[in-house]
Amino acid sequence: MISIIVAMARNGVIGRDNSLIWHLPADLKYFKQITMGRPVIMGRKTFESVGRPLPGRTNIIVTRREGYSAEGCLVAGSLEEAVEMALRDAGKGATGLRDAAGAGSRTVGDAPDADNRTVHDAPGAARAGNDPPPRNEIFIAGGGEIYRQAMDIADRIYITVVDAGFEGDTFFPPIPEREWKLTGEKHQPPDDRNKYPMIFRVYDRKQIA
Ligand SMILES: NC(=O)c1ccc[n+]([C@@H]2O[C@H](COP(=O)([O-])OP(=O)(O)OC[C@H]3O[C@@H](n4cnc5c(N)ncnc54)[C@H](OP(=O)(O)O)[C@@H]3O)[C@@H](O)[C@H]2O)c1
């Protein structure tokens, strides 16, 4: 199963100057809980903006650059190739990088800030959907260019709507109502650590009868 995960402002903005605009610990926690132990696919620009592999997850970087390498990550020359690699990795179970990228890479168990849990047993998990996540779920984690290409192949979208307007240069594409059904929604008010209200939404692709 292919899932997109994204945080988007009310006006569709997801980034500016190759970085995130807001700092919202509740959304970072949600992202971690949802993706932990699963393969994550990122465009080269997003990866370089994050600056390191996400621990406890097989990281797959998409680039057209020949010979590109990033320590602790797998590299794919197209989104299709990245998806194939991720599905293969997910099929092996939530084993992290060791099996996929060779010895010395991190796994869920030895990643410094990994809690070795999945969303099933994460305390306080704020997952907005109702069904448990499928074991073979893989994640498309941005950025704009990769999201646009992934909209046609994704089965699910986890979207955190940051309920404020921001100026930015990177946008999430529209989610056409005829193709997507809202299957989960959870509101989170602002607090001391999270300046803006958030809405955690899950959309599933409509089944064609
Ligand atoms: N709010 C969120 O949830 C969120 C999540 C992720 C990212 N972001 C933001 O999004 C912005 C980055 O997005 P972006 O659109 O500029 O870049 P991006 O999607 O992260 O990466 C674009 C790069 O991916 C590679 N690529 C794209 N399509 C490819 C294909 N079909 N085959 C092979 N390689 C391909 C190319 O790398 P090469 O140039 O190396 O060939 C391209 O330059 C940043 O501001 C980041 O903070 C926001």
Side-chain angles (χ1 to χ4, degrees):
M1 170 169 184
I2 303 172
S3 295
I4 285 174
I5 185 159
V6 62
M8 178 192 88
R10 221 163 33 204
N11 56 354
V13 164
I14 62 164
R16 184 174 57 221
D17 300 332
N18 206 30
S19 52
L20 286 178
I21 301 172
W22 43 77
H23 176 70
L24 294 164
D27 184 55
L28 296 176
K29 184 178 170 201
Y30 182 72
F31 178 89
K32 184 175 170 184
Q33 286 173 338
I34 298 283
T35 60
M36 186 52 68
R38 316 292 164 113
V40 287
I41 295 171
M42 274 173 274
R44 193 261 311 160
K45 290 183 183 170
T46 292
F47 171 68
E48 291 186 355
S49 155
V50 175
R52 65 182 180 113
L54 299 172
R57 283 145 283 195
T58 296
N59 289 241
I60 303 170
I61 315 306
V62 190
T63 177
R64 295 185 183 89
R65 295 182 179 185
E66 292 282 331
Y68 185 85
S69 72
E71 204 185 333
C73 299
L74 301 178
V75 176
S78 67
L79 181 58
E80 291 72 22
E81 189 191 348
V83 166
E84 270 174 36
M85 289 163 97
L87 288 171
R88 236 179 358 250
D89 187 72
K92 285 190 273 179
T95 50
L97 273 168
R98 191 174 48 199
D99 296 343
S105 302
R106 284 182 184 151
T107 65
V108 170
D110 62 11
D113 70 348
D115 52 13
N116 210 2
R117 291 193 198 102
T118 68
V119 74
H120 297 288
D121 58 6
R127 189 174 176 280
N130 296 322
D131 303 329
R135 290 195 66 75
N136 66 348
E137 191 170 18
I138 67 166
F139 288 93
I140 311 276
E145 207 180 317
I146 295 294
Y147 287 139
R148 275 196 299 283
Q149 298 171 59
M151 284 301 280
D152 287 340
I153 57 168
D155 305 295
R156 176 172 288 175
I157 304 170
Y158 296 87
I159 187 160
T160 303
V161 179
V162 180
D163 207 359
F166 291 89
E167 286 194 12
D169 54 24
T170 316
F171 295 82
F172 193 74
I175 303 175
E177 253 183 55
R178 64 181 186 282
E179 289 173 34
W180 295 94
K181 181 174 167 24
L182 183 66
T183 54
E185 185 169 80
K186 188 175 161 141
H187 288 255
Q188 169 141 345
D191 58 31
D192 290 351
R193 302 185 65 216
N194 298 277
K195 194 171 169 194
Y196 307 104
M198 281 166 270
I199 312 165
F200 297 100
R201 290 192 174 129
V202 178
Y203 288 88
D204 284 300
R205 187 178 289 285
K206 285 183 180 168
Q207 302 300 321
I208 297 160

